[in-house]
Amino acid sequence: MWGTTGPLSTALYRAGEAITGIGFWRLAIGFAGLLVYGLFRPWLFRIDRRAWLLVGLGGGALVALFEVAYQFGIAGAGVAGAAALLYVAPVLVAILAKPLLGERLTTLRVLLALVVMAGAALTVQGGSHGAGAAAIPLPSVIQGVAGGLLAMLSYAGTTLLARYAVPRYGALQVLFLEIVGGIVVLGVVLPLSGHTPLPPHTTGAWLYVLLLSLGSVLAANFLFFAGVKRIDAAPTAVAATIEPVVGTLLALILFNQRLSPLGWLGLAMVVGGVATGYLQEAKPTE
């Protein structure tokens, strides 16, 4: 689901939509969908004050940062580059999960995270850059890399927060709070920075934003939270690195973006790291 973010966002750039507005509107549609769901499941809104502060405020800020930074990463560094930069996060998650969550910091977990990070770097170096839109000014490669790294930091923080919050409050409540917080932060910060989130200009653009919301906001996060509720944060973060493979393959099929042999090697390292991690995590503890 997350792998569709890059190709759909690229289509929106080519249609002339503003980078800063895409994240806001896809969150807004997701929020509307959860509100409708809550009309039939009122327990969704029964959330204590601590959850509002921790997940709504803290998680919302991380979501807001991710929504803007990742769009800049995609536009400046290309779909493959932005997705690959994002998955430096497993290294941070594997290291921080021990002091923050009490998870095991095994040599294998760190090694697999490093392999994934190296594969991400190769993908960036071997991928084509830029979203290829001529209708609007796009960020430079440097801005794209900066956006990808900021998105990586926010993703790592969200993973650690989800591992703590989802078992306590539930996946739907955490998703609802993060979306609410993200909308509030973006609704305040974007206008103050001179980037008021304007609605999409065409019916086709609205359709792309709707698909982004249903796939990469609602479905992807719900599935991710279902995973992090059951397994540790480190293997969850490593497993999610399959996204660059999906995003890059879709970009190769749908857009004029290419990967060199070095880029393909990087993607192979990502897939190998994910597969090896799950095989090892599935073994019973003796």
Side-chain angles (χ1 to χ4, degrees):
M1 293 291 101
W2 273 329
T4 64
T5 302
L8 287 173
S9 296
T10 299
L12 284 166
Y13 306 149
R14 291 185 170 184
E17 300 299 327
I19 293 173
T20 52
I22 294 173
F24 176 85
W25 288 107
R26 74 174 190 161
L27 285 181
I29 293 175
F31 174 67
L34 287 176
L35 281 182
V36 173
Y37 181 85
L39 294 177
F40 302 94
R41 299 289 189 274
W43 52 264
L44 177 62
F45 308 120
R46 300 192 188 110
I47 306 170
D48 62 43
R49 183 179 303 175
R50 186 184 182 197
W52 276 104
L53 292 174
L54 177 65
V55 184
L57 183 60
L62 290 171
V63 167
L65 174 61
F66 178 87
E67 289 296 333
V68 175
Y70 196 36
Q71 296 298 332
F72 271 88
I74 293 169
V79 174
L85 281 169
L86 182 63
Y87 289 105
V88 179
V91 180
L92 284 181
V93 172
I95 294 173
L96 295 177
K98 179 176 176 59
L100 295 179
L101 301 173
E103 294 185 3
R104 294 177 298 137
L105 181 61
T106 65
T107 302
L108 180 61
R109 284 186 176 183
V110 175
L111 179 61
L112 290 175
L114 289 172
V115 168
V116 165
M117 184 179 71
L122 288 176
T123 304
V124 173
Q125 187 174 350
S128 61
H129 300 294
I136 55 173
L138 292 176
S140 66
V141 174
I142 294 176
Q143 290 175 313
V145 170
L149 290 175
L150 284 174
M152 178 273 295
L153 291 174
S154 64
Y155 169 66
T158 300
T159 301
L160 294 168
L161 178 61
R163 179 58 180 161
Y164 173 84
V166 170
R168 289 167 173 79
Y169 305 119
L172 278 174
Q173 283 90 342
V174 170
L175 180 56
F176 175 75
L177 286 174
E178 288 191 347
I179 288 178
V180 170
I183 290 174
V184 171
V185 172
L186 289 177
V188 173
V189 172
L190 289 180
L192 290 177
S193 64
H195 297 90
T196 301
L198 300 175
H201 297 86
T202 65
T203 302
W206 272 113
L207 178 61
Y208 285 137
V209 174
L210 176 63
L211 292 174
L212 273 173
S213 182
L214 294 177
S216 61
V217 174
L218 294 178
N221 281 289
F222 182 75
L223 293 169
F224 180 75
F225 289 158
V228 82
K229 182 179 180 179
R230 294 166 173 81
I231 61 178
D232 287 348
T236 304
V238 169
T241 51
I242 203 68
E243 178 190 346
V245 178
V246 176
T248 300
L249 291 177
L250 288 175
L252 292 173
I253 295 171
L254 300 175
F255 305 108
N256 188 27
Q257 298 195 19
R258 296 289 182 266
L259 273 182
S260 69
L262 201 62
W264 284 110
L265 174 61
L267 285 183
M269 291 172 66
V270 171
V271 175
V274 172
T276 303
Y278 262 151
L279 286 172
Q280 293 299 319
E281 295 291 338
K283 291 181 179 179
T285 303
E286 295 183 3

